[in-house]
PDB file of all heavy atoms in Angstrom:
ATOM      1  N   ILE R   5     -16.691   0.562 -15.591  1.00 65.00           N
ATOM      2  CA  ILE R   5     -15.445   0.996 -16.076  1.00 65.00           C
ATOM      3  C   ILE R   5     -15.264   2.564 -16.010  1.00 65.00           C
ATOM      4  O   ILE R   5     -14.263   3.084 -15.608  1.00 65.00           O
ATOM      5  CB  ILE R   5     -15.217   0.498 -17.556  1.00 65.00           C
ATOM      6  CG1 ILE R   5     -15.121  -1.016 -17.544  1.00 65.00           C
ATOM      7  CG2 ILE R   5     -13.995   1.104 -18.147  1.00 65.00           C
ATOM      8  CD1 ILE R   5     -15.149  -1.613 -18.945  1.00 65.00           C
ATOM      9  N   PHE R  13      -8.971   9.199 -11.930  1.00 62.00           N
ATOM     10  CA  PHE R  13      -8.687  10.600 -12.344  1.00 62.00           C
ATOM     11  C   PHE R  13      -8.811  11.563 -11.175  1.00 62.00           C
ATOM     12  O   PHE R  13      -7.892  12.389 -10.981  1.00 62.00           O
ATOM     13  CB  PHE R  13      -9.673  11.005 -13.471  1.00 62.00           C
ATOM     14  CG  PHE R  13      -9.499  12.413 -13.958  1.00 62.00           C
ATOM     15  CD1 PHE R  13      -8.442  12.739 -14.711  1.00 62.00           C
ATOM     16  CD2 PHE R  13     -10.398  13.349 -13.539  1.00 62.00           C
ATOM     17  CE1 PHE R  13      -8.293  14.046 -15.118  1.00 62.00           C
ATOM     18  CE2 PHE R  13     -10.230  14.684 -13.944  1.00 62.00           C
ATOM     19  CZ  PHE R  13      -9.219  15.033 -14.755  1.00 62.00           C
ATOM     20  N   ILE R  25       0.454  22.184  -2.990  1.00 51.00           N
ATOM     21  CA  ILE R  25       0.291  22.896  -1.732  1.00 51.00           C
ATOM     22  C   ILE R  25       1.645  22.798  -0.992  1.00 51.00           C
ATOM     23  O   ILE R  25       2.110  23.788  -0.485  1.00 51.00           O
ATOM     24  CB  ILE R  25      -0.825  22.231  -0.887  1.00 51.00           C
ATOM     25  CG1 ILE R  25      -2.180  22.570  -1.528  1.00 51.00           C
ATOM     26  CG2 ILE R  25      -0.742  22.680   0.572  1.00 51.00           C
ATOM     27  CD1 ILE R  25      -3.313  21.853  -0.861  1.00 51.00           C
ATOM     28  N   LYS R  49       5.262  51.564  12.210  1.00 68.00           N
ATOM     29  CA  LYS R  49       3.767  51.780  11.965  1.00 68.00           C
ATOM     30  C   LYS R  49       3.037  51.998  13.282  1.00 68.00           C
ATOM     31  O   LYS R  49       2.271  52.930  13.398  1.00 68.00           O
ATOM     32  CB  LYS R  49       3.224  50.592  11.207  1.00 68.00           C
ATOM     33  CG  LYS R  49       1.814  50.781  10.739  1.00 68.00           C
ATOM     34  CD  LYS R  49       1.361  49.666   9.880  1.00 68.00           C
ATOM     35  CE  LYS R  49       1.016  48.469  10.651  1.00 68.00           C
ATOM     36  NZ  LYS R  49       0.375  47.406   9.902  1.00 68.00           N
ATOM     37  N   ARG R  51       0.439  51.287  16.401  1.00 70.00           N
ATOM     38  CA  ARG R  51      -1.000  51.054  16.335  1.00 70.00           C
ATOM     39  C   ARG R  51      -1.754  52.384  16.081  1.00 70.00           C
ATOM     40  O   ARG R  51      -1.167  53.486  16.305  1.00 70.00           O
ATOM     41  CB  ARG R  51      -1.503  50.524  17.715  1.00 70.00           C
ATOM     42  CG  ARG R  51      -1.112  49.100  17.918  1.00 70.00           C
ATOM     43  CD  ARG R  51      -1.681  48.606  19.210  1.00 70.00           C
ATOM     44  NE  ARG R  51      -0.515  48.057  20.024  1.00 70.00           N
ATOM     45  CZ  ARG R  51      -0.115  48.554  21.118  1.00 70.00           C
ATOM     46  NH1 ARG R  51      -0.676  49.611  21.696  1.00 70.00           N
ATOM     47  NH2 ARG R  51       0.989  48.069  21.728  1.00 70.00           N
ATOM     48  N   GLU R  58       6.628  63.865  18.736  1.00 92.00           N
ATOM     49  CA  GLU R  58       6.719  65.298  18.421  1.00 92.00           C
ATOM     50  C   GLU R  58       7.040  65.561  16.969  1.00 92.00           C
ATOM     51  O   GLU R  58       6.442  66.480  16.368  1.00 92.00           O
ATOM     52  CB  GLU R  58       7.767  65.979  19.356  1.00 92.00           C
ATOM     53  CG  GLU R  58       7.399  66.027  20.832  1.00 92.00           C
ATOM     54  CD  GLU R  58       6.042  66.737  20.999  1.00 92.00           C
ATOM     55  OE1 GLU R  58       5.829  67.818  20.432  1.00 92.00           O
ATOM     56  OE2 GLU R  58       5.177  66.152  21.765  1.00 92.00           O
ATOM     57  N   ARG R  79      11.272  70.354   7.470  1.00 96.00           N
ATOM     58  CA  ARG R  79      10.889  71.337   8.452  1.00 96.00           C
ATOM     59  C   ARG R  79      10.490  70.689   9.823  1.00 96.00           C
ATOM     60  O   ARG R  79      10.571  71.258  10.878  1.00 96.00           O
ATOM     61  CB  ARG R  79       9.650  72.187   7.976  1.00 96.00           C
ATOM     62  CG  ARG R  79      10.106  73.144   6.873  1.00 96.00           C
ATOM     63  CD  ARG R  79       8.947  74.087   6.578  1.00 96.00           C
ATOM     64  NE  ARG R  79       7.745  73.445   6.230  1.00 96.00           N
ATOM     65  CZ  ARG R  79       7.192  73.406   4.966  1.00 96.00           C
ATOM     66  NH1 ARG R  79       7.798  74.026   4.018  1.00 96.00           N
ATOM     67  NH2 ARG R  79       6.082  72.764   4.787  1.00 96.00           N
ATOM     68  N   THR R  86      17.099  61.922   3.732  1.00 91.00           N
ATOM     69  CA  THR R  86      16.016  60.870   3.741  1.00 91.00           C
ATOM     70  C   THR R  86      14.646  61.443   3.876  1.00 91.00           C
ATOM     71  O   THR R  86      13.716  60.729   4.125  1.00 91.00           O
ATOM     72  CB  THR R  86      16.301  59.909   4.899  1.00 91.00           C
ATOM     73  OG1 THR R  86      16.222  60.684   6.160  1.00 91.00           O
ATOM     74  CG2 THR R  86      17.617  59.207   4.776  1.00 91.00           C
ATOM     75  N   ALA R 103      -4.532  62.023  11.789  1.00 91.00           N
ATOM     76  CA  ALA R 103      -4.143  63.260  12.375  1.00 91.00           C
ATOM     77  C   ALA R 103      -4.273  64.412  11.358  1.00 91.00           C
ATOM     78  O   ALA R 103      -4.718  65.540  11.700  1.00 91.00           O
ATOM     79  CB  ALA R 103      -2.711  63.204  12.902  1.00 91.00           C
ATOM     80  N   LYS R 105      -6.369  64.513   8.822  1.00 92.00           N
ATOM     81  CA  LYS R 105      -7.864  64.801   8.662  1.00 92.00           C
ATOM     82  C   LYS R 105      -8.395  65.621   9.823  1.00 92.00           C
ATOM     83  O   LYS R 105      -9.123  66.566   9.618  1.00 92.00           O
ATOM     84  CB  LYS R 105      -8.615  63.461   8.578  1.00 92.00           C
ATOM     85  CG  LYS R 105      -8.390  62.783   7.233  1.00 92.00           C
ATOM     86  CD  LYS R 105      -9.088  61.443   7.230  1.00 92.00           C
ATOM     87  CE  LYS R 105      -8.720  60.646   5.976  1.00 92.00           C
ATOM     88  NZ  LYS R 105      -9.297  59.283   6.031  1.00 92.00           N
ATOM     89  N   GLU R 107      -6.686  67.602  11.879  1.00 90.00           N
ATOM     90  CA  GLU R 107      -6.133  68.995  11.797  1.00 90.00           C
ATOM     91  C   GLU R 107      -6.821  69.828  10.735  1.00 90.00           C
ATOM     92  O   GLU R 107      -7.069  70.946  10.908  1.00 90.00           O
ATOM     93  CB  GLU R 107      -4.626  68.828  11.591  1.00 90.00           C
ATOM     94  CG  GLU R 107      -3.860  70.101  11.983  1.00 90.00           C
ATOM     95  CD  GLU R 107      -3.907  70.439  13.408  1.00 90.00           C
ATOM     96  OE1 GLU R 107      -3.905  69.556  14.197  1.00 90.00           O
ATOM     97  OE2 GLU R 107      -3.882  71.659  13.683  1.00 90.00           O
ATOM     98  N   ARG R 110     -10.186  70.746  11.971  1.00 89.00           N
ATOM     99  CA  ARG R 110     -10.051  71.756  12.978  1.00 89.00           C
ATOM    100  C   ARG R 110      -9.839  73.166  12.327  1.00 89.00           C
ATOM    101  O   ARG R 110     -10.408  74.121  12.775  1.00 89.00           O
ATOM    102  CB  ARG R 110      -8.946  71.413  13.942  1.00 89.00           C
ATOM    103  CG  ARG R 110      -8.889  72.328  15.115  1.00 89.00           C
ATOM    104  CD  ARG R 110      -7.738  71.999  16.060  1.00 89.00           C
ATOM    105  NE  ARG R 110      -7.894  70.571  16.481  1.00 89.00           N
ATOM    106  CZ  ARG R 110      -6.840  69.772  16.805  1.00 89.00           C
ATOM    107  NH1 ARG R 110      -5.632  70.219  16.674  1.00 89.00           N
ATOM    108  NH2 ARG R 110      -7.064  68.535  17.244  1.00 89.00           N
TER     109      ARG R 110
END
Side-chain angles (χ1 to χ4, degrees):
I5 295 172
F13 177 75
I25 289 171
K49 186 172 77 169
R51 287 182 234 114
E58 291 305 313
R79 289 190 304 251
T86 60
K105 287 176 188 175
E107 197 66 33
R110 188 179 303 148

